[in-house]
Amino acid sequence: MIRELVQAGFRLSGYRDPRLVRGLLWAALEGLFAAAPYPLLYGLLCDVFAGRVTSMLALGYGVAMLAFLVLRIFAGQRGMPLVFTGAYAMMGEARLRVADHLRRLSMGWFTRQRGGELSARLTSDLELIENLWSHFLGVFVAGLAMPVFLLGFLLWVDWRLALVVLAVLPLAVLALAWTQRVAARPADRLIAANAAAQSALLEYVQGIVVARGFGRFGEAWRRLEAILDDQHAAMLAVESKPAPWLAAFGFLLEAGFVALVLIGAWLLIGGTLSPQVLLLFMVLALPVYRQLFEVGLSTMLLRFARRALARVEAVLAEPGLPEPTQPRRPQGHDVEFDQVKFAYEGSNRFALDGVSCTIPANTLTAVVGPSGAGKSTLVHLIARLWDVDAGVIRLGGVDLREIGTEALHRHVSMVFQDVLLFSGSVLDNLRIGKPDASQDEIIAAARRAQAHAFISALPQGYDTLLDEGGASLSGGERQRISIARALLKNAPVLLLDEATASVDPSAEAELRQAIGELARGRTVIMIAHRLASVRHVDHILVLDEGLLVEQGRHKDLLAQAGTYAKLWARQLDVQNWQPTKQLSEQRQTS
């Protein structure tokens, strides 16, 4: 099992850190130096029983034992830092590999994951593996090396009693193996319960406002309490169910010591065993058995580590979006849909069904339609967050799948309503668009995005640390930072989800000006919810239930009296709605 876990750890990190290997060799030496004083003790006992002990001889034995103690400490000081640094370096690389692999996966994989379960894989699972590598391996090697060396020495001293010591080990190992087998089901249940608890806690914290607003706080609490109770029960089961068999493992080891004493006394009475040998075995058997018991206890953790490794490896085994062996370069920045079909996993209908259209380069195209028409899906497919099920999407005449993800993202920027800002400074968040951007470039982009003024007013300006998600900023301020980093990226294709839809009117004018600056000289595809904002765009795509039902300019689409005209008329009705008058009429009729 140890070898399997070590090999899996090497696979996870992608390389073997030489410091870890050297550290484990030092740990083995530490075990050897820990066992070395016992042969000296045997020599001392022989001299005592033979009457050869002098003060100088006793002093020599004491100095030699002290020397081995110093060597043991030295080996531990040399080995453990190497184990820690090697293990942490490998696990750091493993985390980077997992993070890099996640960004290559289709968004469909993320929709299948529960938030808590994915979080558990990336936090507690990796932490468990890291603790195994950093704290367990070195101690395990040193702890196992000591009884192995002592057993070898005991075999040399008297093979008969050594066999008595060894006789109980196969039975003890069987008891330990059965203990691990009994613990397997509760361990699986605990892992599932931990993931469910993390998901429930995350959902509970994020939904407190909604729960309070709708008076469902008690129900939300009861649901969380039930999940945490299940986690508690799973923890108890992990501890209690294997306990009898673990006790049997310890009992067998202790029984081995009793058998040693009885058989040793019988041999001593029969005159075939010297007193010093029996005394030596009685002294050494206890630390051997106790050390083996500690090693057996520690191996119980390996089952959790094996499952944690399997769960993380399962993430790395997920196939990413296919990448071309020889990426092609787009010849221009027009976007073409050719009989594109796409359905989300688990859905029984196409989100886009046979869509064909061409979006010319350096034009502004709006995508409109009722809720659920497929607007966001169309834009997300251009960014290749998913791959199409059928048909082709081309950029500059080249299939997106032949461009490659890295190259495609150099050509495409996205600005959506839900802006994600990372923990860190404003400067760090802006540099996501261009990591090597100079301070002057950043300030120039912020000015064009109408963001420089409010950033300068922050306590530390561009060095101000943001709360998680940028919670300390308003929606309009977060949007302007998003636009500024898109300006820094300077990609020729811009995907917009109407960024002004969720901000107050006072910020809308500045945002429209910033978006206009961002869109200049680019191929822009924007999802539009307010049709009044698309009257002057170059081209409008009208989607309904995954079908491209109409396309053209605003005036021409109104003349067709189709879906677009109906949406336009409905929004005009909403704009002309007078809530005070309607509420008054409803009160009078009631």
Side-chain angles (χ1 to χ4, degrees), residues 301-446:
L301 298 174
L302 297 182
R303 183 164 296 278
F304 291 97
R306 177 193 283 180
R307 279 163 171 72
L309 272 166
R311 282 154 55 86
V312 176
E313 283 196 302
V315 175
L316 291 174
E318 283 291 328
L321 291 171
E323 295 293 332
T325 53
Q326 293 184 332
R328 295 177 58 193
R329 195 176 214 176
Q331 305 300 310
H333 299 106
D334 55 303
V335 179
E336 179 188 357
F337 281 71
D338 185 0
Q339 292 297 314
V340 169
K341 291 187 176 186
F342 176 78
Y344 292 101
E345 186 173 340
S347 175
N348 57 4
R349 70 179 186 88
F350 284 109
L352 291 180
D353 190 359
V355 172
S356 294
C357 63
T358 298
I359 301 171
N362 301 320
T363 61
L364 176 56
T365 299
V367 184
V368 304
S371 179
K375 303 183 295 295
S376 296
T377 301
L378 183 141
V379 172
H380 290 165
L381 289 176
I382 296 174
R384 208 188 170 208
L385 301 184
W386 284 270
D387 269 341
V388 299
D389 295 328
V392 180
I393 302 176
R394 300 183 181 92
L395 174 64
V398 180
D399 188 334
L400 297 184
R401 293 165 292 194
E402 297 179 6
I403 297 174
T405 305
E406 294 290 340
L408 176 64
H409 288 169
R410 288 196 293 269
H411 290 273
V412 177
S413 286
M414 294 173 283
V415 178
F416 294 145
Q417 287 186 46
D418 298 325
V419 177
L420 177 62
L421 298 182
F422 297 96
S423 299
S425 67
V426 175
L427 195 64
D428 293 333
N429 276 274
L430 289 171
R431 279 205 168 109
I432 291 173
K434 186 180 179 182
D436 58 348
S438 66
Q439 187 81 7
D440 290 341
E441 289 177 301
I442 291 169
I443 292 175

Side-chain angles (χ1 to χ4, degrees), residues 81-403:
L82 288 171
V83 171
F84 280 122
T85 54
Y88 286 138
M90 290 177 64
M91 289 312 302
E93 186 63 29
R95 283 185 166 90
L96 290 174
R97 288 189 70 218
V98 172
D100 184 63
H101 185 71
L102 286 175
R103 70 186 181 90
R104 301 176 189 277
L105 297 178
S106 165
M107 295 303 295
W109 181 83
F110 292 93
T111 61
R112 301 194 303 269
Q113 307 301 312
R114 295 181 64 185
E117 170 130 7
L118 182 57
S119 174
R121 292 192 193 194
L122 302 180
T123 54
S124 56
D125 282 355
L126 280 171
E127 183 179 357
L128 178 59
I129 299 166
E130 185 173 66
N131 285 334
L132 166 73
W133 278 72
S134 58
H135 292 81
F136 173 81
L137 277 182
V139 174
F140 180 84
V141 169
L144 188 60
M146 176 188 172
V148 168
F149 290 135
L150 286 180
L151 286 171
F153 171 64
L154 291 178
L155 280 168
W156 176 76
V157 172
D158 190 293
W159 64 269
R160 298 168 301 170
L161 286 185
L163 290 179
V164 175
V165 174
L166 290 170
V168 298
L169 295 186
L171 292 175
V173 169
L174 284 175
L176 182 62
W178 188 258
T179 303
Q180 292 182 336
R181 183 174 179 179
V182 170
R185 184 172 295 179
D188 290 339
R189 179 187 170 191
L190 179 59
I191 290 173
N194 285 340
Q198 288 201 33
S199 293
L201 282 168
L202 184 63
E203 181 181 348
Y204 179 78
V205 171
Q206 292 178 338
I208 280 180
V209 174
V210 176
R212 284 182 174 179
F214 285 89
R216 310 289 286 183
F217 188 78
E219 184 176 324
W221 170 255
R222 285 190 293 273
R223 179 175 176 276
L224 175 62
E225 189 176 33
I227 292 174
L228 292 179
D229 284 343
D230 183 64
Q231 183 189 34
H232 178 252
M235 288 180 174
L236 289 178
V238 163
E239 297 293 339
S240 60
K241 289 195 174 181
W245 295 101
L246 195 59
F249 169 66
F251 172 78
L252 286 169
L253 291 177
E254 295 292 341
F257 180 75
V258 174
L260 170 69
V261 172
L262 293 176
I263 295 175
W266 178 69
L267 292 174
L268 181 65
I269 294 171
T272 60
L273 185 69
S274 63
Q276 63 265 31
V277 171
L278 178 58
L279 183 59
L280 176 72
F281 270 82
M282 291 174 64
V283 170
L284 294 194
L286 275 178
V288 166
Y289 285 141
R290 294 286 165 82
Q291 193 67 41
L292 289 175
F293 183 75
E294 293 297 325
V295 169
L297 281 179
S298 62
T299 58
M300 294 296 295
L301 298 174
L302 297 182
R303 183 164 296 278
F304 291 97
R306 177 193 283 180
R307 279 163 171 72
L309 272 166
R311 282 154 55 86
V312 176
E313 283 196 302
V315 175
L316 291 174
E318 283 291 328
L321 291 171
E323 295 293 332
T325 53
Q326 293 184 332
R328 295 177 58 193
R329 195 176 214 176
Q331 305 300 310
H333 299 106
D334 55 303
V335 179
E336 179 188 357
F337 281 71
D338 185 0
Q339 292 297 314
V340 169
K341 291 187 176 186
F342 176 78
Y344 292 101
E345 186 173 340
S347 175
N348 57 4
R349 70 179 186 88
F350 284 109
L352 291 180
D353 190 359
V355 172
S356 294
C357 63
T358 298
I359 301 171
N362 301 320
T363 61
L364 176 56
T365 299
V367 184
V368 304
S371 179
K375 303 183 295 295
S376 296
T377 301
L378 183 141
V379 172
H380 290 165
L381 289 176
I382 296 174
R384 208 188 170 208
L385 301 184
W386 284 270
D387 269 341
V388 299
D389 295 328
V392 180
I393 302 176
R394 300 183 181 92
L395 174 64
V398 180
D399 188 334
L400 297 184
R401 293 165 292 194
E402 297 179 6
I403 297 174

